[in-house]
Amino acid sequence: VTLGGKNLIRPAQASDLPHLDENDAQASALKYIHKSPYEDRNCSNCVLLQGEMGDEWRPCQLFPGKLVSSSGWCSAWAG
Ligand code: SF4
């Protein structure tokens, strides 16, 4: 499919996924927030985080189809 000569079909990429909403039912159940209240615990050093090191928004095993903030945190954090 093309429009104005641009190819509209791209391979699905993690970066295309929507950001997790803090008010999402599962997010609020796990107290997820975009900015961790802890100095030493955030999504970027949680074992459940996936995706590319250095990306600001990355997939998390607990929230399929969404991206969480690397600076975020939830109560399921595991180091
Ligand atoms: Fe962040 Fe929680 Fe996912 Fe760990 S489990 S990456 S703390 S959202």
Side-chain angles (χ1 to χ4, degrees):
V1 177
T2 60
L3 182 71
K6 285 194 181 135
N7 192 340
L8 297 179
I9 297 185
R10 292 179 296 150
Q13 288 185 334
S15 55
D16 292 336
L17 295 172
H19 293 178
L20 179 63
D21 185 334
E22 290 177 354
N23 299 316
D24 171 282
Q26 193 184 347
S28 53
L30 291 174
K31 303 184 172 66
Y32 169 82
I33 48 174
H34 294 317
K35 184 82 192 110
S36 173
Y38 303 104
E39 260 179 39
D40 55 345
R41 293 180 178 200
N42 54 49
C43 293
S44 69
N45 63 10
C46 172
V47 296
L48 296 168
L49 193 65
Q50 302 180 308
E52 299 289 324
M53 181 101 72
D55 282 359
E56 192 180 345
W57 293 89
R58 294 169 58 182
C60 164
Q61 288 179 43
L62 288 193
F63 300 102
K66 301 281 169 61
L67 299 178
V68 301
S69 169
S70 293
S71 321
W73 174 90
C74 86
S75 60
W77 182 90

